[in-house]
């Protein structure tokens, strides 16, 4: 226990403690019929998320990074937990080797950035595995190309030109899909609004406002 609480390890230990707190809270919330994942989807737009920032070079890099991490295809809560575990475990393992070889721990603030870069591929791996697992059997698999024509609901962020947001819908097999969406026209779609997926472009889908006919067809 002393190793985990040393100054150089507090950042990584804290990440694992936060993960455990989320797991316990999720279990308690599920017992009363409420999931943290949905709550997180509702709370994130009110925080300083850069998803609805104006289109900039940095914003484009962020969008590509989120798509690479499978953000929008896997629930945000799962990716958050995967990041906390990867960050905490990777940092502690490096500190264990450092103490074994050098007889000392590296400064946590100095180690945080390389550990962050080591954790991101692990988050992507988890996202890839869970995305494939969620699809189910080949006979019930729903490819991304079949998403066009479906009506989804904006769950995270505000979708505007050059600024994607996360949207969610369920297919005919009951599988929930998370996709990044961006308006096909100059419209802006806020959290809770329904959108019609009309075209796949890379990691995102172009969307428009659905008509009553689209809503009836998807229902």
């Amino acid at each position: 226990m002393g190793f985990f609480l040393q100054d150089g390890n507090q950042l990584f230990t804290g990440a694992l403690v936060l993960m455990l707190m989320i797991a316990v809270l999720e279990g308690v919330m599920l017992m009363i019929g409420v999931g943290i994942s949905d709550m997180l989807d509702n709370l994130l737009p009110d925080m300083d998320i850069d998803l609805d920032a104006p289109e900039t070079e940095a914003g484009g890099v962020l969008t590509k990074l989120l798509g690479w991490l499978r953000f929008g295809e896997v629930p945000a809560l799962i990716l958050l937990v995967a990041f906390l575990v990867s960050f905490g475990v990777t940092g502690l393992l490096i500190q264990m080797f450092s103490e074994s070889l050098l007889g000392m721990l590296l400064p946590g603030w100095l180690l945080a950035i390389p550990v962050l870069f080591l954790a991101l591929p692990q988050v992507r791996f988890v996202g890839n595995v869970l995305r494939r697992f969620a699809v189910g059997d080949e006979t019930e698999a729903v490819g991304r190309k079949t998403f066009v024509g479906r009506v989804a609901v904006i769950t995270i962020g505000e979708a505007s030109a050059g600024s994607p947001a996360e949207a969610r819908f369920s297919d005919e097999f009951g599988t929930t899909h998370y996709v990044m969406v961006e308006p096909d026209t100059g419209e802006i779609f806020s959290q809770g609004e329904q959108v019609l997926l009309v075209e796949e472009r890379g990691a995102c889908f172009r969307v428009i406002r659905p008509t009553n006919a689209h809503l009836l067809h998807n229902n």
Side-chain angles (χ1 to χ4, degrees):
M1 182 62 70
F3 172 79
F4 294 105
L5 298 180
Q6 291 185 62
D7 290 341
N9 291 336
Q10 290 178 357
L11 183 62
F12 310 115
T13 301
L16 294 179
V17 170
L18 179 58
M19 180 275 298
L20 290 174
M21 292 173 61
I22 291 175
V24 171
L25 184 58
E26 174 72 357
V28 172
M29 297 298 286
L30 286 176
M31 290 179 64
I32 62 176
V34 180
I36 297 180
S37 184
D38 289 335
M39 293 179 61
L40 183 63
D41 287 346
N42 293 330
L43 290 175
L44 279 177
D46 298 326
M47 301 169 65
D48 293 328
I49 302 291
D50 204 17
L51 287 177
D52 54 1
E55 184 177 12
T56 62
E57 183 177 348
V61 172
L62 176 62
T63 299
K64 291 181 180 180
L65 175 62
L66 292 174
W68 184 75
L69 292 174
R70 303 308 180 192
F71 186 88
E73 300 177 60
V74 176
L77 180 65
I78 293 179
L79 295 180
L80 173 61
V81 169
F83 171 74
L84 291 173
V85 173
S86 301
F87 183 81
V89 171
T90 301
L92 290 174
L93 286 176
I94 292 177
Q95 291 289 47
M96 290 177 67
F97 282 114
S98 175
E99 187 175 51
S100 176
L101 296 176
L102 305 177
M104 59 177 288
L105 298 179
L106 299 173
W109 61 268
L110 183 64
L111 193 58
I113 294 179
V115 169
L116 172 64
F117 283 104
L118 289 173
L120 291 180
Q122 299 177 58
V123 176
R124 173 179 166 82
F125 174 77
V126 172
N128 282 335
V129 171
L130 292 179
R131 185 184 63 162
R132 290 167 186 166
F133 177 77
V135 169
D137 295 332
E138 296 256 339
T139 55
E140 295 189 353
V142 178
R144 283 177 61 85
K145 291 183 179 180
T146 67
F147 291 178
V148 173
R150 299 181 183 271
V151 175
V153 178
I154 302 292
T155 55
I156 297 180
E158 182 179 77
S160 59
S163 176
E166 181 188 273
R168 176 179 60 196
F169 70 89
S170 296
D171 60 31
E172 60 269 28
F173 304 111
T175 302
T176 300
H177 299 273
Y178 295 82
V179 293
M180 300 300 292
V181 299
E182 185 177 340
D184 191 51
T185 59
E187 291 187 275
I188 296 177
F189 298 104
S190 302
Q191 177 195 354
E193 289 194 76
Q194 293 182 312
V195 293
L196 175 69
L197 281 59
V198 295
E199 181 183 3
E200 181 183 10
R201 289 194 183 179
C204 295
F205 283 86
R206 295 285 183 170
V207 295
I208 61 174
R209 193 175 303 278
T211 64
N212 290 335
H214 293 136
L215 296 176
L216 290 173
H217 175 73
N218 279 267
N219 290 333

